[in-house]
Amino acid sequence: MNASEFWAPIKLSLQVALLSSVIVTVIGIAAAWWMSRRSFRGKLVLETGFMLPLVLPPTVVGFLLLVLLGRKSWLGQLIEWLFAAPIIFSWWAAVVAAVVVAFPLVYQTMKVGFASVSRDLEDAGRSIGASEWQVFRYITLPMTLPSLMTAYILGFARALGEFGATLMIAGNIPGKTQTIPTAIYVAVDAGNNPMAWSWTVTMIAISFLMLLLTGRKPAS
């Protein structure tokens, strides 16, 4: 295997993880903030639905996404009409799979973070004329920065290691949709342990570096 074949899954995995972690963090923050500030009938059912991808087998999640986004579904047909190409078996499908499976971790982390913010401080901001957006931007969000960092790292790590759902809707096309986890699977299946070890060590190094950077304290 040449260098380009080795680096292709690594580059794609980082591309998918970076994009999906940003998307899922934004969605997770919005959902957690809205749910933590609302009380309505059916809230428990909705929240249970949010957490389902955490406990469902990845292949089940992948199958549901395949049905939802496939070329026979109205959503899949709409996407294909808008972008002149199906989303299934593209690297965008890997992004969708990563967002879905990472969402429960990000959502739950941010929900705990928002619950720790004093309502009195938020009410004090409103009492001096701050809008809801200003209260969120200048009071709530800064106080949840540790949770936000944790949520992003969890989302990134989950996206980086996603395998089952990705394989179902993105496939394992070398140079196009093959990520590090699927590349490792193929290498092991083919008996190519040296390549499997190379990708495994790379995955460990990336994950270790992410944890190391987030664990650093700013210089005083």
Side-chain angles (χ1 to χ4, degrees):
M1 180 176 290
N2 57 42
S4 63
E5 292 175 323
F6 171 75
W7 286 108
I10 298 174
K11 180 182 177 181
L12 181 61
S13 290
L14 290 175
Q15 182 177 323
V16 169
L18 286 170
L19 180 57
S20 61
S21 59
V22 171
I23 294 173
V24 76
T25 299
V26 172
I27 297 174
I29 289 174
W33 180 80
W34 189 81
M35 291 288 284
S36 66
R37 298 299 186 267
R38 299 288 189 278
S39 181
F40 55 90
R41 182 177 298 179
K43 180 178 178 179
L44 180 60
V45 175
L46 180 59
E47 191 164 45
T48 301
F50 285 168
M51 299 304 294
L52 265 181
L54 186 64
V55 296
L56 286 176
T59 50
V60 173
V61 176
F63 174 72
L64 293 175
L65 289 174
L66 190 62
V67 172
L68 181 64
L69 301 174
R71 305 184 77 170
K72 293 184 179 180
S73 72
W74 68 267
L75 183 56
Q77 292 173 358
L78 176 62
I79 292 173
E80 186 170 356
W81 179 75
L82 288 173
F83 300 101
I87 190 173
I88 299 300
F89 301 120
S90 69
W91 77 274
W92 280 104
V95 173
V96 172
V99 168
V100 171
V101 298
F103 175 79
L105 294 174
V106 176
Y107 170 78
Q108 189 62 27
T109 302
M110 291 309 303
K111 180 186 171 185
V112 172
F114 288 136
S116 67
V117 177
S118 172
R119 295 295 183 91
D120 292 337
L121 290 176
E122 293 180 328
D123 290 338
R126 296 185 185 98
S127 69
I128 60 175
S131 65
E132 288 298 320
W133 166 249
Q134 289 173 323
V135 170
F136 175 78
R137 170 65 179 83
Y138 295 106
I139 299 176
T140 309
L141 194 59
M143 295 186 68
T144 59
L145 280 180
S147 295
L148 176 59
M149 180 174 291
T150 301
Y152 177 80
I153 294 302
L154 288 175
F156 183 92
R158 186 66 184 87
L160 189 67
E162 166 51 31
F163 174 75
T166 300
L167 189 62
M168 290 286 289
I169 68 170
N172 182 41
I173 307 172
K176 183 178 179 182
T177 65
Q178 187 179 66
T179 59
I180 298 177
T182 56
I184 292 173
Y185 174 81
V186 171
V188 172
D189 189 56
N192 192 350
N193 286 341
M195 284 307 304
W197 269 112
S198 298
W199 279 316
T200 298
V201 171
T202 302
M203 178 77 82
I204 293 173
I206 295 171
S207 302
F208 183 83
L209 181 61
M210 288 292 296
L211 292 174
L212 185 64
L213 290 176
T214 57
R216 292 183 60 186
K217 295 182 179 180
S220 56

